[in-house]
Amino acid sequence: MARSLDGLVLSPVADQAPGQVGTRTRFTYHQQDGTIWAEYAGGDVVRGHLVGTREEDVLDFRYVQLKQDGTTSSGHCRSTVTELPDGRVRLDERWEWESQEGSGTSVVEEVTH
């Protein structure tokens, strides 16, 4: 199993559709036993939160966010946690909106300071 996500900061490696999470978005993850949660913001997202579970290297969570234009949206995501050769954490994500139409994939990687 890849290492704990607790205290890690991650960011998408590419921009999604306009008005969504992108390379300027930063996720700060927390993990306690099998529970995970994160706060995120940046780019078009003013504030976002996710909460869910981790079983081995699979995350299953729901997310909700407030965008710059004042709209809110929510969805569901399943991510696979892997460790990159340089030791950073990577999440390969499959997500779908629950508050609107749309689904897709994304890659989020640990940001080094």
Side-chain angles (χ1 to χ4, degrees):
M1 185 164 90
R3 66 188 165 104
S4 172
L5 301 177
D6 196 48
L8 299 184
V9 176
L10 293 94
S11 180
V13 298
D15 288 323
Q16 298 297 319
Q20 305 302 333
V21 166
T23 57
R24 295 178 298 158
T25 309
R26 297 292 182 267
F27 294 78
T28 302
Y29 272 83
H30 310 279
Q31 180 177 335
Q32 185 174 37
D33 301 319
T35 303
I36 55 138
W37 66 98
E39 305 84 32
Y40 61 98
D44 291 323
V45 177
V46 174
R47 183 177 300 256
H49 297 277
L50 66 84
V51 63
T53 58
R54 178 177 182 172
E55 187 172 323
E56 299 293 325
D57 285 330
V58 176
L59 308 181
D60 187 342
F61 60 84
R62 294 273 185 316
Y63 56 89
V64 61
Q65 63 189 33
L66 171 65
K67 296 190 299 185
Q68 295 283 354
D69 66 6
T71 61
T72 60
S73 49
S74 62
H76 176 247
C77 184
R78 285 184 58 88
S79 301
T80 302
V81 183
T82 57
E83 199 163 322
L84 297 168
D86 64 6
R88 293 180 304 125
V89 168
R90 172 184 171 128
L91 304 180
D92 291 292
E93 304 182 318
R94 298 187 62 77
W95 50 267
E96 65 181 324
W97 292 108
E98 294 178 328
S99 61
Q100 61 194 32
E101 293 294 317
S103 62
T105 61
S106 56
V107 174
V108 181
E109 293 182 353
E110 183 179 353
V111 176
T112 56
H113 300 286

